[in-house]
Amino acid sequence: MKRRPNGYWTYDRCKEESLKYKTLTVFRKEKSGALNTIRRNKWNELIQHLMSDRKPDGFWSNYDNCKKTSISCN
């Protein structure tokens, strides 16, 4: 992966890149430098639209959720 020069990730560039993605996981994998800059500068509004792939707390303690998932497995 190509390393960007210091100061490359400005607010506008980070905003432009983050709008191209739907999930935080994919954005983190492909543009980790931009995500690090967003978090370091506390520009959290740039990543609020990104959805998380994580299940909510307590998801797996529900019997029905576990049963639905286990049926789809071999």
Side-chain angles (χ1 to χ4, degrees), residues 51-68:
M51 295 182 294
S52 177
D53 294 341
R54 294 186 66 182
K55 303 289 185 203
D57 288 342
F59 181 84
W60 294 113
S61 62
N62 183 333
Y63 176 79
D64 293 330
N65 292 338
C66 293
K67 184 176 179 180
K68 288 176 189 175

Side-chain angles (χ1 to χ4, degrees), residues 16-60:
E16 183 180 325
E17 282 300 315
S18 70
L19 291 174
K20 295 178 184 178
Y21 296 91
K22 293 182 181 180
T23 64
L24 187 60
T25 305
V26 176
F27 184 56
R28 182 180 336 134
K29 286 180 183 176
E30 295 187 11
K31 299 294 181 180
S32 61
L35 183 60
N36 291 338
T37 301
I38 289 170
R39 288 184 170 159
R40 182 174 53 246
N41 291 313
K42 298 178 182 165
W43 296 334
N44 296 326
E45 68 274 6
L46 299 181
I47 56 174
Q48 285 180 340
H49 71 281
L50 298 174
M51 295 182 294
S52 177
D53 294 341
R54 294 186 66 182
K55 303 289 185 203
D57 288 342
F59 181 84
W60 294 113

